[in-house]
Amino acid sequence: MSAVSVTVSSRGAPRALAKRAVSVRSAVADSSRGASSCAVAGVRASSKRAAEGSGEKQRSLAVPVCRGLSTRIGHGISGQGQFHSSGPVSSSQAKTGQRGQRAQASSRAQLKDSKVVVVELGSAVITREDECGLALGRLASIVEQVAELQSKGKQVVLVTSGAVAFGKQVLHQQNRLSQSVRQAINIGKQNDTPEPRACAAVGQCGLMSLYDAMFSQYGVPTAQVLLTKRDLTGNQSENFTSTMHELMSMNIVPILNGNDVVAAPAETGADLEGVLSVKDNDSLAAIVADHIKADLLILLSDVRGVYTGPPSQADSRFLDNCYLPSQSSSDNIGVTFGPSSSRVGRGGMESKVDSAVYALHRGVAVVIADGTANTGTVVSDIVSGKRVGTFFTQELSARDDVTDQSRRARTGSRKLQSLSPEARCDIINRLADLLEQRSADILAANQKDMTAATSLAPSLLARLELSTDKLSSLAKGLRQIATASHDYVGHVLSHRELSDGLVLRQETVPLGVLLVIFESRPDALPQVASLAISTANGLLLKGGSEAKHTNRFLHELVSQALASHGCEDAVQLVSTREDVNELLSMESDIDLVIPRGSKELVRRIQEDCRGIAVLGHSEGICHVYVDKNVDPDQAVDIVVDSKCNYPAACNAMETLLLHRDHLKTSVMSMLVQQLKEKGVTVFSGPHLRSLVTFAPPPAPSLSHEYSANECTIEVVDDVERAIEHIQHYGSSHTDSIVTNLGILL
């Protein structure tokens, strides 16, 4: 009768997560020596050893041969093997088979919501390059990441290789220790290649002791689960699943491995349609993920992820996403596999992809990634939604790869360069026409965003909302761009003949591919797209998620206009913040980043951008100075329009500066009255308050950006003081001087 062997660490109260794994190395040093005397993994520990394992003296850093209790789970445990996927479950929930209703993650951004994560450590990840012993530093890093996830309320299950390599190291040491005696008796009689099952028998206990020592540094208890094929079929699978849920309900990290000591050799080609046989730890991890209803399966290898061919081939292309709709197989992703097995294990990339497809079609999100990279954060990065490895999805929307998008944008840019200026103008004019012709559809999409934007500030809502007047004004502005753009590209700035037949000519050329990031204003999308088209630049656009419906529809119109001249790839729409994070590191594909939005957005982009120039402004603290010599009616019209035409725009007036002589004229009272009639709340600067008895309320700051029907009024002595004020408090965005004098300085 088959059974599941489980060893549970019996450590006491959890220690603080802040305890680092630096002290593990001293424990690791003893692990290979201790493992040489251990029995076959899974055998019940003696009462003496169990008693020693629970003793206080054994809590030192020296790795014990066998710590805790070893039990065998038979047919006496009930349960249907269902797991509540919204978080760790109680014992009663595990036994009654409750399960959450979380949908499968269709994008990387949703991976951060994963509660139950299965991490498979391939042989190439856990084993040293010499295939004899474990890569301890790499393993300690993964343990630290798993412990951190556990502390955040996630439940992680490890499926690990390494027992054979660990045992091989121990047996090689035994061989070397006894070599001199053997050589004295019979020189040349050696056996340096131990049988793999013997290596597994020796290595299992030592491997688990090593995990126990590492996890204990973070106060995380562990349990060893050894499996054979029979344990995952029939009634035995119910026993296994129930045991797993019981362990997870106690916040224990189960550490699983195929029982190579007693398992039959893997059968080649044993997979049946819709069934995955247990041939290696890849397939084991996929089956386990299905049994416990995991949210995410991470398969770690020694390559970045899935390529269209062997990674060593020059024409192989990395696949950021693998799109596999329901019922499709690994044959549908267009991949040519190399060797059928890995460097040290029984699996390989083909096995990993088959296992990924199996898990994906059973509701488990899957990522295949490089566990040998020096970043030391691969597991944490995947769970946080970062673009690491190859993400398997059944959703077409997640198929777009930002690398492909940037390359298509560059190809589109070159097509735009080949067009005549008249053809580029025609594209922009077509877009302007579409804005007017499809205004009803645009406003319908915008209304979806407005309905969903219940928590936005009023100023952001004003930027988000479109109207018929805004669209008409937008179309008019695009036609002005088209008219003025005839000499944007190829305009000769200088022409010099350096010598006979040698001419130096300076002319305008496109920058290449631009990444423009903007916040709530969807009307910025056609504006920026038109500027890029007029200058023959490729463009990647990332708008705010609050305007996703409007942005998506406007981008469709841009693509439609570009398609009239075969350049529909020139402007691409980026979907998620994670896409932006990856684009900011793609210095070979992006030539310039332009963030448009708040000071926080601009600063974050400048900090995160690596190797790419950033053209960013700060806040839109815009000033209008009304000089002493001015037409009062003209001054009132300019000030009111500067503030009230579009208060949420970044170039709206935020501070009105008045020459101090206007305190004695009607100009100030006219300005204040007109602003208040337009619903503008007026605040005063410190100089104005010192001169006027009943001044408006004090301004929050002279560098405050209201982005609403509010403004500051301050008084200055002359134009020189006005310019000094603007230079000190402004953001060098948009500033104006209103005067009747042609020359002020």
Side-chain angles (χ1 to χ4, degrees), residues 108 111 117-126 142 156-161 276 280-290 296-306 318 337 347-360 364-372 378-379 382-383 388-392:
R108 291 181 185 267
L111 294 181
V117 182
V118 176
V119 180
E120 187 264 336
L121 308 180
S123 300
V125 175
I126 202 172
I142 292 173
V156 184
V157 175
L158 280 183
V159 179
T160 180
S161 303
L276 190 70
D280 48 52
N281 277 347
D282 301 323
S283 54
L284 174 62
I287 294 171
V288 167
D290 177 37
L296 173 62
L297 169 62
I298 300 174
L299 300 173
L300 296 181
S301 181
D302 59 348
V303 293
R304 181 183 176 189
V306 181
F318 173 72
F337 295 103
M349 188 52 68
E350 185 171 8
S351 169
K352 281 180 166 51
V353 171
D354 286 341
S355 301
V357 173
Y358 176 90
L360 181 71
V364 184
V366 184
V367 175
I368 297 178
D370 185 0
T372 64
V378 59
V379 176
I382 291 172
V383 176
V388 176
T390 300
F391 174 59
F392 285 75

Side-chain angles (χ1 to χ4, degrees), residues 633-704:
D633 293 332
Q634 183 187 56
V636 170
D637 290 342
I638 291 174
V639 169
V640 171
D641 184 74
S642 298
K643 179 71 245 185
C644 303
N645 182 274
Y646 192 177
C650 55
N651 62 346
M653 183 193 76
E654 304 293 7
T655 299
L656 170 62
L657 297 177
L658 294 174
H659 192 287
R660 66 178 298 158
D661 285 0
H662 288 308
L663 294 176
K664 305 172 185 177
T665 69
S666 62
V667 173
M668 180 173 178
S669 60
M670 290 172 59
L671 285 168
V672 173
Q673 181 180 351
Q674 287 294 315
L675 288 171
K676 288 187 174 180
E677 287 180 1
K678 294 291 184 179
V680 177
T681 301
V682 175
F683 299 92
S684 60
H687 196 192
L688 175 60
R689 290 200 308 278
S690 67
L691 299 174
V692 177
T693 304
F694 300 103
S701 165
L702 291 178
S703 296
H704 189 71

Side-chain angles (χ1 to χ4, degrees), residues 378-406:
V378 59
V379 176
S380 301
D381 288 347
I382 291 172
V383 176
S384 66
K386 293 185 179 179
R387 197 169 288 271
V388 176
T390 300
F391 174 59
F392 285 75
T393 177
Q394 298 186 82
E395 295 289 335
L396 186 60
S397 60
R399 190 179 185 183
D400 266 349
D401 177 9
V402 290
T403 303
D404 289 339
Q405 285 185 293
S406 64

Side-chain angles (χ1 to χ4, degrees), residues 281-338:
N281 277 347
D282 301 323
S283 54
L284 174 62
I287 294 171
V288 167
D290 177 37
H291 272 287
I292 66 174
K293 307 304 175 190
D295 301 306
L296 173 62
L297 169 62
I298 300 174
L299 300 173
L300 296 181
S301 181
D302 59 348
V303 293
R304 181 183 176 189
V306 181
Y307 288 76
T308 55
S312 58
Q313 293 183 1
D315 58 346
S316 292
R317 185 172 59 87
F318 173 72
L319 298 177
D320 184 76
N321 298 302
C322 278
Y323 169 60
L324 287 164
S326 180
Q327 306 307 317
S328 60
S329 68
S330 58
D331 297 332
N332 299 111
I333 64 176
V335 172
T336 301
F337 295 103

